[in-house]
Amino acid sequence: QVQLVESGGGLVQAGGSLRLSCAASGTILRINSVGWYRQAPGKQRELVATATSGGRTNYADSVKGRFTISRDNAKNTVYLQMNSLKPEDTAVYYCNARPVVAGAVDYWGQGTQVTVSS
């Protein structure tokens, strides 16, 4: 059974930076894409950034130019570098991994809290 564990969240002032990590363990299928999502209280979970196995990345408009997603397959780890943080970035951040195998369920972590103060 696969486990994803996020870390690196915390409290930071506006304009600061954080680097989130998501470490995977267990028997992991070949991954097609990885991503970061976030959810604020009372809001829908939203996509923040994704990266395919080929290296193509996609970002929400609200984080373009500020966040960078990366992956280290050898370490089974996904990262999210967050710069120029804004109070609007406050949310629980979740990592996600989608297996190549059609019909396989996505992997999800438990989330890490990011709080940005003004």
Side-chain angles (χ1 to χ4, degrees), residues 26-41:
T27 302
I28 306 172
L29 298 174
R30 182 183 173 192
I31 298 300
N32 181 64
S33 64
V34 295
W36 286 93
Y37 294 74
R38 67 187 181 187
Q39 186 169 24

Side-chain angles (χ1 to χ4, degrees), residues 37-39 44-46 48 62-63 67 89 91-93:
Y37 294 74
R38 67 187 181 187
Q39 186 169 24
Q44 299 272 81
R45 185 174 298 188
E46 64 176 350
V48 177
S62 60
V63 306
F67 291 11
D89 297 318
V92 177
Y93 284 70

Side-chain angles (χ1 to χ4, degrees), residues 93-104:
Y93 284 70
Y94 301 88
C95 65
N96 165 270
R98 174 164 291 181
V100 169
V101 177

